[in-house]
Amino acid sequence: MTPAADRPKSAPVPPAVKQQSAKQEREAQRQAKVAAFKQAQKRKNRNRRIGIWAGVVGGVAVVAVLITSVVLTLPKNASYPGGGTGTGQDIAGVELFQNTSEHVEGTVDYPQNPPAGGPHNQYWLNCGVYTEEQTNENAVHSLEHGAIWVTYDPSLSDAELTKLKELLPTTYVVLSPKSDLPSPIVLSGWNSQLQVNNASDGRIADFFEEFWKSNNVPEPGAACTGAIDGPGKV
């Protein structure tokens, strides 16, 4: 039996080695916490991006729905071939005149109401929809270029006005209210005119077929834009 004094003793662990191991353990724990924190941040950022994109997509979808609903509820413009003969012999109630064309300054005393041709201002009224009354002398110049001037009584109902707009083409037409009309709605071309009581009158479309962009005007095909915007232009 080996005496106790002669038995080999376990070598003591140096203190530096124990401290190093503790530091390594703490560093490993710290790195693990950092890695977990970074992973959590990545998830948070990813979820936030997903939320943002979901909101963007949802917003775009809502806007698209709104635009679609607006487009579907807007009045649809009518389409006409244009270049009619301008005789109007087959349209009941159409009146034809023999007005001359010349440029003048100041106001003109027109024989028709609204005027359907005659002396006019050198600047035409830009075609379009207006919510206020327009100057006769500028509007007549637009008729000289083949436009149709559609005037309506200011008391016309919104439903009637919407229906009337649906019968109008997108170009070469002026729509405006007028307070002293002989009927609720009056359509005027160059030397031609039609009075109707409501927007459901089928002769409105017939009038456009015959007189819109007619070749039987002093200046067929001349521009209906690029001159004067009257008050209340939409």
Side-chain angles (χ1 to χ4, degrees), residues 25-162:
E25 184 176 354
R26 288 195 298 272
E27 180 64 19
Q29 292 175 351
R30 189 183 73 82
Q31 292 292 342
K33 290 180 180 179
V34 171
F37 176 77
K38 289 183 177 180
Q39 190 66 27
Q41 285 295 104
K42 287 182 179 179
R43 286 197 299 269
K44 183 178 179 180
N45 291 337
R46 182 175 64 252
N47 291 338
R48 183 172 59 184
R49 287 195 297 269
I50 292 174
I52 291 173
W53 279 109
V56 170
V57 172
V60 170
V62 170
V63 172
V65 170
L66 290 175
I67 292 176
T68 301
S69 63
V70 169
V71 170
L72 291 177
T73 56
L74 284 175
K76 297 178 176 60
N77 291 97
S79 178
Y80 304 100
T85 60
T87 59
Q89 295 177 348
D90 298 328
I91 305 175
V94 166
E95 296 182 86
L96 301 178
F97 313 103
Q98 296 293 327
N99 294 306
T100 59
S101 174
E102 61 178 313
H103 291 173
V104 296
E105 296 182 1
T107 58
V108 177
D109 184 15
Y110 290 102
Q112 294 88 38
N113 179 40
H120 50 270
N121 190 275
Q122 62 178 323
Y123 299 108
W124 59 90
L125 177 69
N126 290 333
C127 289
V129 175
Y130 294 87
T131 59
E132 299 181 31
E133 297 195 28
Q134 301 304 306
T135 303
N136 288 335
E137 290 75 17
N138 299 113
V140 170
H141 195 153
S142 300
L143 304 185
E144 186 183 44
H145 294 181
I148 301 298
W149 186 13
V150 181
T151 49
Y152 61 92
D153 191 284
S155 64
L156 195 71
S157 69
D158 291 341
E160 278 288 287
L161 184 57
T162 297

Side-chain angles (χ1 to χ4, degrees), residues 194-229:
L194 175 67
Q195 302 176 15
V196 298
N197 292 323
N198 56 69
S200 299
D201 196 313
R203 294 176 298 166
I204 295 176
D206 295 336
F207 189 89
F208 273 98
E209 292 278 357
E210 188 72 21
F211 297 101
W212 181 65
K213 297 180 71 174
S214 172
N215 291 319
N216 192 25
V217 297
E219 298 181 10
C224 200
T225 58
I228 292 178
D229 278 343

